[in-house]
Amino acid sequence: MPMRTRAAAFAALTVAALAAATAFTAPAGAAPRNAAEPAFLDASELPPHPSSAWTAGPVSDGFPAELAHCLGEGVPAYDYRHRVFRTELDTGAVQVTVVTGSPAKGEALAARLNEEIRSCADRIEESDPEIRAEGRSYGSLPVEEGAQVHGLHTTTSWGATDIHLLSVGRDGRTVTVVGWGQMGDFDDAPVAAFRQTTTTAVDKLH
């Protein structure tokens, strides 16, 4: 993620998500900011790229536009933080974290995010008849309160094809989403390495 889908395959969804993102501020019951912010992944903890090194951007406030294709208007308002990762080629990644007000709120948010990802392929196709999308589940991970791993493949009428991996994990009241993407299809997805990246991301939260 930068998840370049070329020719703005997700343009409509991205615009909607960016508009929604301006309202992503902490609701009642959200945890206040403090010095014990969740830790983020380092570039070296992402799935290895065969020919290009990962670089990590700064940790920034707000919900990342890089996840707009699946997590746009349906994402509840919270005080999100994120980090974007890039390679020199057409592969990118992003992590977003949020500390909710309680473990119960964290559980509810994780469930909502997983549902948004599961319905993502259908929503993409509904938003643009020139895009075909297929989602897959890669199961759960036994880390802290658990994590779910998903895959998403998109193909456009002009021939662009992209593969994305997304995961949602939780440690108590803290939730994280990790996304990875590049050109290709399901056969090109480093599922085993991404599952390890997700496990590391959840382990590092606190």
Side-chain angles (χ1 to χ4, degrees):
M1 298 180 147
M3 309 255 230
R4 300 176 193 163
T5 50
R6 302 162 315 281
F10 296 136
L13 286 172
T14 301
V15 169
L18 287 173
T22 61
F24 286 169
T25 55
R33 283 288 182 88
N34 56 55
E37 294 283 6
F40 278 76
L41 289 165
D42 297 322
S44 63
E45 294 165 328
L46 294 170
H49 191 278
S51 60
S52 179
W54 286 100
T55 59
V59 175
S60 303
D61 291 338
F63 195 86
E66 287 80 5
L67 293 177
H69 59 287
C70 278
L71 301 174
E73 294 177 322
V75 177
Y78 271 107
D79 192 7
Y80 297 96
R81 304 177 78 219
H82 69 276
R83 169 176 263 180
V84 176
F85 304 86
R86 294 184 172 85
T87 67
E88 295 178 357
L89 301 177
D90 199 21
T91 304
V94 64
Q95 181 185 10
V96 59
T97 68
V98 58
V99 182
T100 67
S102 67
K105 289 180 182 293
E107 181 178 12
L109 177 60
R112 176 65 176 273
L113 293 171
N114 278 308
E115 180 56 36
E116 290 293 314
I117 293 172
R118 281 191 289 267
S119 65
C120 181
D122 288 341
R123 288 183 284 114
I124 287 173
E125 291 190 346
E126 290 170 0
S127 72
D128 192 333
E130 295 192 30
I131 302 176
R132 305 304 299 172
E134 178 187 354
R136 290 186 183 178
S137 172
Y138 288 113
S140 60
L141 297 172
V143 54
E144 299 299 342
E145 276 67 62
Q148 296 287 326
V149 181
H150 312 265
L152 174 70
H153 177 239
T154 59
T155 305
T156 69
S157 61
W158 56 88
T161 180
D162 291 273
I163 180 65
H164 307 277
L165 297 174
L166 302 109
S167 60
V168 179
R170 182 171 71 90
D171 181 356
R173 61 180 182 169
T174 303
V175 178
T176 190
V177 179
V178 182
W180 170 98
Q182 69 175 29
M183 293 186 292
D185 57 28
F186 286 113
D187 291 337
D188 301 305
V191 177
F194 184 78
R195 286 169 63 89
Q196 181 57 55
T197 293
T198 297
T199 298
T200 301
V202 178
D203 274 335
K204 290 185 70 172
L205 289 174
H206 295 292

